[in-house]
Amino acid sequence: MSSLKSSGLRIKELQVEYKSGQLALGQMNLNLPEHAIYTVIGPSGSGKSTLLRAIAGLLPGYDGELLFNGKSVHDKDTLIGLVPQNYGLLPWKTVRDNIRIAMRIARPGSGGRAEQEAQISQWLMSMGIADLAGRYPLSLSGGQQQRVAIARAFAILPTILLLDEPFSALDAITREGLQQIFIDNWQAHPATTLFVTHDVEEAILLGQKIIVMPSGKQDVPEIIDNSAVFGMKHEAKRESGAYFEQSKVIRKVMMEKW
Ligand SMILES: Nc1ncnc2c1ncn2[C@@H]1O[C@H](COP(=O)(O)OP(=O)(O)OP(=O)(O)O)[C@@H](O)[C@H]1O
Ligand SMILES: [Mg+2]
């Protein structure tokens, strides 16, 4: 196999069954090139969160192979940032501490204290939550917690970034603003990214390709090229003909697969 072919995240015949014996994710194959971003949509229960958990190493087991640049994705060289569906913040730590702890675990011994504090402030500022640094997660709204979780995931500068419906708790306008902030941050630090959303519009606005998960576990995901929309300036996407055409394509696939 050429090195080019094995570069990035490679998902080979991944299949997950939980203890109950129920199939949570049917056979999945995917090549996600390094520094690419693909979005994942699918009906509730189609295994989107399970896919991210498998990659993040949070499942006791799975069938198949998960490789990054030819080595197991769970190898210590591969740093994985996950924004879980329930935010995953430590409730007894402040916002700033949540981010600091993640940075220390991810990259022990890197950078001085002052530098690290400045970086935390910068990430909080980029997500528009600088004023929440001293607050505790449970005193924040769902949308604010989501923003903390996203700031934390970016702050560790992960090799692979996994986001599980990170904007689901946000109103439409805040969400649009954060999509722009997210894509700006991602372009500055293009981790190899899988972005799960239940929102078709968001999938088209953010992904180079769109993975449409089937509802039937025997069926395979459909992978749709989205480079025409992805190549445009973010502000122009929503109003474009390419976006409109892509919405029609995706809805047709959804009608068949869901
Ligand atoms: N811890 C668990 N134990 C047993 N079954 C589980 C567990 N977590 C998920 N499942 C089952 O696995 C299947 C896939 O769940 P998963 O959470 O991955 O779906 P999803 O696509 O993320 O759904 P949603 O859009 O609602 O978040 C579902 O049938 C679910 O009931
Ligand atoms: Mg889920």
Side-chain angles (χ1 to χ4, degrees):
M1 195 192 292
S2 77
S3 61
L4 195 68
K5 223 175 159 186
S6 63
S7 121
L9 175 65
R10 193 162 154 78
I11 299 174
K12 282 163 98 171
E13 305 192 346
L14 177 67
Q15 185 170 314
V16 180
E17 242 175 54
Y18 284 100
K19 265 213 190 87
S20 54
Q22 190 198 5
L23 197 56
L25 182 66
Q27 284 255 324
M28 172 140 192
N29 287 288
L30 180 75
N31 287 325
L32 174 62
E34 197 166 3
H35 308 302
I37 175 168
Y38 290 4
T39 45
V40 183
I41 54 172
S44 187
S46 59
K48 304 181 297 296
S49 297
T50 300
L51 168 67
L52 298 195
R53 275 186 225 126
I55 299 166
L58 297 178
L59 295 179
Y62 53 79
D63 290 324
E65 270 189 286
L66 292 171
L67 303 172
F68 189 78
N69 289 352
K71 289 199 283 189
S72 166
V73 80
H74 309 306
D75 191 281
K76 62 172 174 18
D77 294 346
T78 306
L79 195 55
I80 299 180
L82 171 69
V83 179
Q85 205 162 0
N86 58 3
Y87 327 128
L89 300 170
L90 303 173
W92 59 91
K93 294 287 181 188
T94 64
V95 165
R96 178 173 282 278
D97 288 346
N98 261 278
I99 297 176
R100 188 189 302 113
I101 289 165
M103 290 169 90
R104 292 221 174 124
I105 293 173
R107 299 179 183 275
S110 78
R113 174 156 177 116
E115 190 191 335
Q116 195 170 50
E117 295 307 311
Q119 283 168 356
I120 297 171
S121 298
Q122 205 162 19
W123 284 112
L124 289 174
M125 203 143 51
S126 80
M127 297 303 295
I129 48 171
D131 53 330
L132 304 180
R135 299 265 295 270
Y136 288 86
L138 296 181
S139 76
L140 304 177
S141 72
Q144 289 170 332
Q145 291 183 51
Q146 281 183 323
R147 287 195 250 180
V148 177
I150 295 166
R152 184 178 63 173
F154 269 118
I156 69 168
L157 301 176
T159 321
I160 298 178
L161 179 58
L162 307 170
L163 304 112
D164 201 348
E165 307 202 14
F167 301 143
S168 61
L170 304 174
D171 63 88
I173 298 300
T174 308
R175 187 180 183 123
E176 282 179 25
L178 279 182
Q179 285 166 347
Q180 175 80 62
I181 290 168
F182 171 80
I183 212 77
D184 291 344
N185 278 327
W186 182 81
Q187 276 163 351
H189 304 277
T192 305
T193 302
L194 275 179
F195 188 116
V196 169
T197 174
H198 60 251
D199 187 71
V200 178
E201 175 172 300
E202 187 161 272
I204 301 170
L205 292 174
L206 299 180
Q208 281 161 324
K209 291 192 184 182
I210 301 163
I211 303 163
V212 186
M213 302 291 281
S215 59
K217 302 284 185 252
Q218 306 310 325
D219 202 353
V220 292
E222 181 102 7
I223 299 169
I224 297 164
D225 182 59
N226 192 44
S227 44
V229 179
F230 191 80
M232 297 171 26
K233 267 175 81 98
H234 189 75
E235 310 84 274
K237 289 177 186 169
R238 219 180 288 270
E239 306 296 327
S240 69
Y243 170 82
F244 180 69
E245 282 308 311
Q246 192 67 301
S247 309
K248 286 200 294 191
V249 170
I250 306 272
R251 280 178 205 288
K252 185 161 174 290
V253 174
M254 285 163 67
M255 299 289 266
E256 290 162 11
K257 296 249 169 196
W258 294 17

